[in-house]
Amino acid sequence: MAPQNDDDINELSYGDSRDNENYHEEGAAFDKKHKKVIDDTSNLGPKLVDALKGRGADQDEQPPTKKMKTRNGAAKPTSINKRGISATVCDDVDDDDIMKLKKEGNVHYVPTSAMTGVESNITRLCAAISGQIYDASSIDDFNLNCGDLQIKCEIIMFDTHNKLEVTSPPFVVVVMGKTMICGWRGSSTLMDWIMDVAFAPVASSRWIKSAKSVRAQGGYCALIESDLSLHEDFLIKNIKDRGIEDLVMTGHSLAGGLAQVAHLSIAGSRANRYSPWSDRALKNLNVRSVAFSAPMTTLNLDRANDPVSVSFVNDVGSNMCNIIYECDPVPRFYANVSFIYALMENAIPQIAGGIPIPRMFRSMFGVQKKIANVLSSAIKSQGDLIKVAEYYRHIGKIIYYEDDQSKPVTYIDKGFHHTKPKGSTQNLFYDLKYKPSDDVIGTATTNHLFLVKGPGLAYGLKKPEEKKK
């Protein structure tokens, strides 16, 4: 039976365990599922070689394929038929509850507070922060106040990390009424991308006493620990002095992952009676995160035998959401390997089509096969690494837009190891399959940036000509 409301969805978030017949973290069922992933992925090597065959340097260019357009003119993937799943807006959401947008380039609906845990104007403020911070080098570069949305806020800190900006994403703190929002910049530098792939799961002293089985993305943990160490006293002082009731972490892409890890870290600190973040020190503070297009950041190593860790993850997840758009690949990292495989399979002919290969390549005895074998062996040799990736999961709600005109829908992620029971109508994250595109890279980029730069849910973004000044 489908979840009836958001409370039910939160309850389901970490409700399955290894002794459940539909959850297989080890044993024959898991091994079979994992083996299929490795076999499918290793076949990408031969497929790439096949696509390269016959691509001579003097070969005529392929005629451009027709691209569909969204309302804002961005490239839209060529879609297969509508999914045959019961993905409906949560029952407690209707047309009167969802704030409608009509401006060009925006989504038509904003998630309700029942979905995100914050008012709709806070969601839009988070999106604006996440989008504008990409082009900001000082506080003056932000344009966050908006009378139409009843948003009047104050930026109380912006740390670009100065000489370290290329290795440490800028960090901003915004206050509106009794709400404080902490935001980070998403991936912009080479080091940011390195942090994205540094997914070694690590523990933290901030939550280890509350949840000994919980791990989070290592690269993000390092960045968050640095920012909290630098700015913790400032944040806590302002929370007390201003009577802050809601602390919201936000960001897009990598920064969405940082927001979730910051949320996890502060939630762990609040359970420590000696921490300045403790419930005793900050009695009336609610900690939340509203991320956009974030990858998976968290895993629990013992979901069956560690109820304390399960409870901690459930508590954090109930106040966490990740808003995603269409077939954005980033939220599928790291565990949704079947989605990533489908995208790569779709991309291979397009990538190969742009690589000039001499015609003699076809006559070089055994070369193609050797290349295919090398690629396949390289993938198979990383089977253990892929297995670690498969343990990651979105622990909060996933708020999904199928396109810019659709209402947002809430999904939950029970993980790679969960097998959906026959007849179940739950909205599970793995129900959202990859849709082929005739421009894989362009479509993926558009989908990834749309919610904060489309402008999607954001506002106040600089126009291209303004950025050059």
Side-chain angles (χ1 to χ4, degrees):
M1 182 175 182
Q4 297 301 303
N5 54 51
D6 279 347
D7 291 333
D8 292 336
I9 290 173
N10 295 337
E11 190 68 27
L12 288 167
S13 184
Y14 237 96
D16 49 355
S17 61
R18 288 187 300 184
D19 56 359
N20 185 305
E21 63 179 356
N22 300 312
Y23 183 82
H24 309 283
E25 194 170 282
E26 55 189 37
F30 165 73
D31 290 340
K32 182 178 179 181
K33 196 170 185 179
H34 175 69
K35 182 178 183 301
K36 184 179 186 306
V37 166
I38 299 301
D39 289 345
D40 287 347
T41 308
S42 61
N43 284 334
L44 291 173
K47 289 182 179 182
L48 176 59
V49 172
D50 288 342
L52 289 172
K53 287 181 179 178
R55 288 292 302 168
D58 58 343
Q59 188 171 355
D60 293 337
E61 291 187 5
Q62 297 296 319
T65 52
K66 184 178 180 180
K67 298 177 184 177
M68 298 174 65
K69 298 288 184 178
T70 58
R71 284 173 55 85
N72 68 333
K76 181 180 177 62
T78 302
S79 176
I80 59 176
N81 293 333
K82 289 280 185 178
R83 302 180 182 88
I85 58 175
S86 59
T88 55
V89 177
C90 298
D91 293 345
D92 60 337
V93 178
D94 56 35
D95 286 342
D96 294 330
D97 292 331
I98 299 181
M99 186 173 76
K100 296 182 179 180
L101 298 173
K102 295 299 181 184
K103 292 184 177 180
E104 189 73 13
N106 284 111
V107 291
H108 283 204
Y109 300 93
V110 177
T112 66
S113 59
M115 289 176 158
T116 62
V118 300
E119 295 301 321
S120 57
N121 62 346
I122 296 294
T123 299
R124 297 209 62 195
L125 176 56
C126 287
I129 292 170
S130 300
Q132 292 182 30
I133 197 171
Y134 278 104
D135 303 309
S137 56
S138 70
I139 289 178
D140 294 337
D141 291 325
F142 287 93
N143 180 25
L144 300 176
N145 291 324
C146 181
D148 291 344
L149 297 177
Q150 297 182 332
I151 293 176
K152 186 176 181 180
C153 58
E154 177 187 1
I155 301 174
I156 63 173
M157 189 192 74
F158 181 44
D159 183 4
T160 64
H161 297 295
N162 298 316
K163 296 178 181 179
L164 302 180
E165 183 177 351
V166 295
T167 59
S168 302
F171 171 62
V172 67
V173 182
V174 179
V175 172
M176 188 175 91
K178 299 297 183 181
T179 299
M180 175 183 287
I181 303 173
C182 298
W184 287 263
R185 187 200 66 199
S187 299
S188 294
T189 69
L190 175 61
M191 184 57 69
D192 292 341
W193 294 108
I194 292 173
M195 285 298 186
D196 281 324
V197 299
F199 67 88
V202 302
S204 169
S205 61
R206 292 185 178 269
W207 70 70
I208 194 66
K209 292 183 178 180
S210 302
K212 64 180 182 180
S213 301
V214 173
R215 304 290 186 270
Q217 206 265 22
Y220 299 168
C221 283
L223 292 171
I224 289 303
E225 183 57 39
S226 176
D227 276 340
L228 289 181
S229 298
L230 289 169
H231 303 302
E232 194 166 63
D233 292 344
F234 175 86
L235 295 174
I236 291 172
K237 182 179 186 305
N238 274 273
I239 288 170
K240 291 179 177 179
D241 292 349
R242 296 169 182 266
I244 296 298
E245 298 175 358
D246 289 293
L247 177 62
V248 181
M249 309 296 173
T250 196
H252 170 260
S253 191
L254 169 146
L258 294 178
Q260 292 180 342
V261 172
H263 182 175
L264 196 73
S265 297
I266 292 176
S269 297
R270 286 183 62 69
N272 180 355
R273 61 182 299 182
Y274 301 108
S275 168
W277 290 102
S278 71
D279 291 333
R280 293 193 308 170
L282 301 170
K283 294 181 180 179
N284 300 315
L285 183 68
N286 299 308
V287 183
R288 306 181 182 278
S289 55
V290 178
F292 302 91
S293 308
M296 303 170 188
T297 58
T298 310
L299 58 87
N300 185 351
L301 292 176
D302 194 355
R303 292 165 66 171
N305 304 308
D306 185 358
V308 177
S309 292
V310 169
S311 178
F312 174 74
V313 170
N314 275 336
D315 288 343
V316 175
S318 67
N319 292 306
M320 177 182 289
C321 69
N322 186 16
I323 306 175
I324 72 174
Y325 185 77
E326 245 272 4
C327 282
D328 180 359
V330 172
R332 276 73 182 189
F333 285 91
Y334 302 95
N336 197 341
V337 285
S338 58
F339 184 100
I340 299 166
Y341 165 77
L343 181 146
M344 293 173 66
E345 186 178 40
N346 184 200
I348 280 175
Q350 299 172 32
I351 295 172
I355 301 175
I357 302 295
R359 290 190 180 277
M360 63 178 292
F361 176 81
R362 290 179 294 178
S363 62
M364 293 175 66
F365 180 76
V367 169
Q368 299 98 324
K369 186 176 181 180
K370 289 180 180 178
I371 292 176
N373 288 339
V374 168
L375 292 174
S376 297
S377 297
I379 292 171
K380 287 182 177 180
S381 68
Q382 300 305 314
D384 289 340
L385 186 63
I386 294 174
K387 186 179 291 187
V388 172
E390 290 165 357
Y391 285 106
Y392 274 93
R393 193 172 70 89
H394 291 292
I395 65 172
K397 303 171 191 173
I398 300 158
I399 301 174
Y400 169 76
Y401 283 92
E402 183 162 14
D403 54 50
D404 57 352
Q405 300 181 52
S406 298
K407 294 178 181 179
V409 181
T410 302
Y411 285 78
I412 55 175
D413 180 5
K414 288 195 172 184
F416 170 83
H417 307 96
H418 180 79
T419 301
K420 187 172 183 176
K422 291 183 179 180
S424 172
T425 57
Q426 291 180 359
N427 296 339
L428 299 184
F429 183 51
Y430 282 75
D431 290 335
L432 300 172
K433 308 300 183 185
Y434 177 72
K435 295 189 295 186
S437 168
D438 59 5
D439 180 11
V440 174
I441 304 302
T443 296
T445 302
T446 297
N447 288 340
H448 185 55
L449 295 173
F450 181 74
L451 289 174
V452 301
K453 299 285 279 185
L457 285 164
Y459 62 88
L461 298 169
K462 289 183 178 181
K463 296 178 181 179
E465 58 270 20
E466 294 175 323
K467 296 178 187 179
K468 296 177 182 179
K469 293 180 180 180

